[in-house]
Amino acid sequence: MPRVYKPGKVAIVLQGRQAGKKVVIIKQNDEGTKDRPYPHAIVAGVERYPLKVTKRMGTKKVARRSKVKPFIKVVNYSHLFPTRYALELEGLKGIVAAETFQEPSQRENSKKEIKKQLEDRYKAGKNKWFFQALRF
């Protein structure tokens, strides 16, 4: 069976609080671990997407509306829907690991790093589709 979930692959969360949100796979675990005996992946995604920006808005308002709220999570493969898209974020791999979820301060620090990288990517105009909410 081919490996669908590779680092950098974009997926959609199907279940839970973040259902319908786009995520990028950071680390996959096909066999599971001792504490999580099911196939799962560590993902980072956008909890709150940036708002629409127009030419008439000032720089202060544009900066406020261009903010991204990220989240990191360990998700079961059965709760993910893979897409054909990929996001090349080399910096994310070193930021989030399995040990990040043990302590809240580590989690917050990694969220800040992810927020910085995602906002830089959004402001550069790369991967615009990743920063738009799904339409139903």
Side-chain angles (χ1 to χ4, degrees), residues 67-79:
K67 290 213 162 84
V68 174
K69 185 178 181 188
F71 69 91
I72 53 173
K73 198 172 177 76
V74 178
V75 183
N76 191 332
Y77 276 0
S78 62
H79 299 164

Side-chain angles (χ1 to χ4, degrees), residues 13-124:
V13 180
L14 299 175
Q15 295 287 322
R17 181 171 155 190
Q18 308 300 344
K21 305 290 189 203
K22 294 175 194 158
V23 294
V24 60
I25 309 281
I26 295 174
K27 188 174 184 232
Q28 87 281 5
N29 199 321
D30 297 327
E31 283 78 47
T33 59
K34 198 169 197 171
D35 55 329
R36 293 178 194 272
Y38 48 86
H40 60 277
I42 297 175
V43 298
V46 182
E47 188 171 338
R48 190 168 50 230
Y49 294 100
L51 299 170
K52 186 179 178 183
V53 174
T54 61
K55 283 184 191 174
R56 301 186 66 197
M57 294 180 188
T59 54
K60 207 180 209 181
K61 192 165 192 175
V62 168
R64 201 175 321 122
R65 294 176 76 94
S66 297
K67 290 213 162 84
V68 174
K69 185 178 181 188
F71 69 91
I72 53 173
K73 198 172 177 76
V74 178
V75 183
N76 191 332
Y77 276 0
S78 62
H79 299 164
L80 285 176
F81 183 77
T83 64
R84 63 182 177 175
Y85 301 105
L87 213 67
E88 66 285 337
L89 286 178
E90 298 84 26
L92 286 181
K93 292 176 190 170
I95 296 171
V96 184
E99 300 84 44
T100 308
F101 297 95
Q102 254 98 57
E103 200 172 316
S105 62
Q106 285 181 326
R107 194 182 184 107
E108 291 302 316
N109 291 338
S110 56
K111 267 200 232 177
K112 285 177 188 172
E113 291 289 322
I114 290 170
K115 178 180 174 126
K116 194 184 314 175
Q117 288 199 359
L118 289 177
E119 281 182 357
D120 289 344
R121 183 156 286 260
Y122 174 71
K123 288 176 184 169

